[in-house]
Amino acid sequence: DVTDAQVLLKLGDFITTDHISPAGAIPSPSAAETYLLAHGVQRPDFNSFGSCRGNHEVMIRGTFANVRIRNQLAPETEGGMTIHFPTGDVLPVYDAAMLFAKEDTPLVVLAGSQYGTGSSRDWAAKGTLLLGVKAVICTSFERIHRSNLVGMGVLPLCFKEGEDADSIGLDGTETFDIPISDDVQPLQTLKVSARKADGSCIEFETTVRLDTPVDVEYYRNGGILHTVVRKLAE
């Protein structure tokens, strides 16, 4: 089960893999810039996120750091900012995610339709996992990105047809309980609970986008790498 999860980002429609894991120049200011400068790399030598794909420290800091991404939790900002709810501070997504990790708080992402469109960028799923995101709940997924999330052990969930975060009253400040169990089945219906600060609760049904028995096996093992290693161990 995923219990007491906070929303890291609430996003709109047509969020691309480049929004999630940009390939362009490393911006200033950014968490990736801070990391590189602290390790003696001068700005002229930064190059781009695309050239740093072998360095997970840079790539995790670049996840959701596209300068054009807009997080509805921090509406006055642009470029990968979010709210750390316990303090109310507006922070870069990476910094907030690391604070949530220290507090053992699981994270979810809310989004609209066609989440993960664009190129099949593997770091869009890897970075999501490394930030501590346990589930993505959206209106619909792009096919390959959904598969990549499953391969990383991130649970893809879809709102029921005709519903979205706004229509059922979710603003992203809620805490989420997702009762996913070991006997999960492909495309089963799963009821998710979202608790607001005033104690009221919104319950809504989602479709588990583990589309095949293979998807279920990957997810139960925590991703494709864990599955392969355990089969080798056997």
Side-chain angles (χ1 to χ4, degrees):
D1 292 345
V2 179
T3 306
D4 292 332
Q6 295 271 190
V7 178
L8 184 62
L9 300 103
K10 183 174 184 284
L11 305 168
D13 298 331
F14 305 111
I15 296 298
T16 70
T17 50
D18 193 65
H19 285 118
I20 303 168
S21 183
I26 295 172
S28 178
S30 68
E33 177 195 49
T34 301
Y35 173 82
L36 289 169
L37 290 174
H39 285 77
V41 181
Q42 300 303 307
R43 168 151 282 285
D45 300 322
F46 280 7
N47 209 321
S48 65
F49 283 116
S51 70
C52 293
R53 288 166 59 84
N55 187 327
H56 73 278
E57 295 286 4
V58 174
M59 296 304 290
I60 184 178
R61 287 165 172 79
T63 305
F64 295 111
N66 186 299
V67 295
R68 292 290 177 258
I69 197 169
R70 289 185 176 273
N71 181 9
Q72 295 174 25
L73 297 182
E76 303 302 319
T77 69
E78 188 176 36
M81 304 295 288
T82 194
I83 292 179
H84 176 246
F85 287 107
T87 62
D89 293 337
V90 177
L91 301 169
V93 166
Y94 171 80
D95 294 340
M98 294 304 101
L99 287 177
F100 282 125
K102 288 181 180 179
E103 298 155 358
D104 292 324
T105 301
L107 301 172
V108 298
V109 171
L110 300 178
S113 63
Q114 293 298 303
Y115 181 79
T117 61
S119 62
S120 56
R121 197 164 293 175
D122 58 343
W123 263 107
K126 290 178 184 177
T128 299
L129 170 71
L130 291 174
L131 287 175
V133 174
K134 302 299 183 184
V136 177
I137 310 174
C138 65
T139 307
S140 63
F141 287 95
E142 191 278 333
R143 177 179 58 87
I144 297 177
H145 185 62
R146 182 209 64 84
S147 179
N148 287 346
L149 288 173
V150 174
M152 289 294 105
V154 178
L155 182 65
L157 299 172
C158 277
F159 295 107
K160 289 299 185 179
E161 186 172 356
E163 295 184 343
D164 58 27
D166 292 334
S167 70
I168 62 179
L170 302 175
D171 61 15
T173 62
E174 303 85 1
T175 56
F176 287 74
D177 291 338
I178 303 171
I180 187 76
S181 62
D182 206 38
D183 59 356
V184 60
Q185 298 299 309
L187 296 172
Q188 79 171 59
T189 295
L190 189 69
K191 184 174 288 187
V192 176
S193 299
R195 292 187 308 281
K196 292 187 173 291
D198 62 7
S200 61
C201 185
I202 298 174
E203 292 188 338
F204 59 97
E205 291 186 339
T206 63
T207 300
V208 177
R209 290 301 311 276
L210 303 175
D211 292 357
T212 67
V214 173
D215 283 348
V216 170
E217 182 182 13
Y218 288 164
Y219 180 73
R220 288 178 64 193
N221 279 284
I224 189 170
L225 181 61
H226 300 73
T227 305
V228 171
V229 169
R230 284 172 177 160
K231 286 185 175 180
L232 289 173
E234 291 171 0

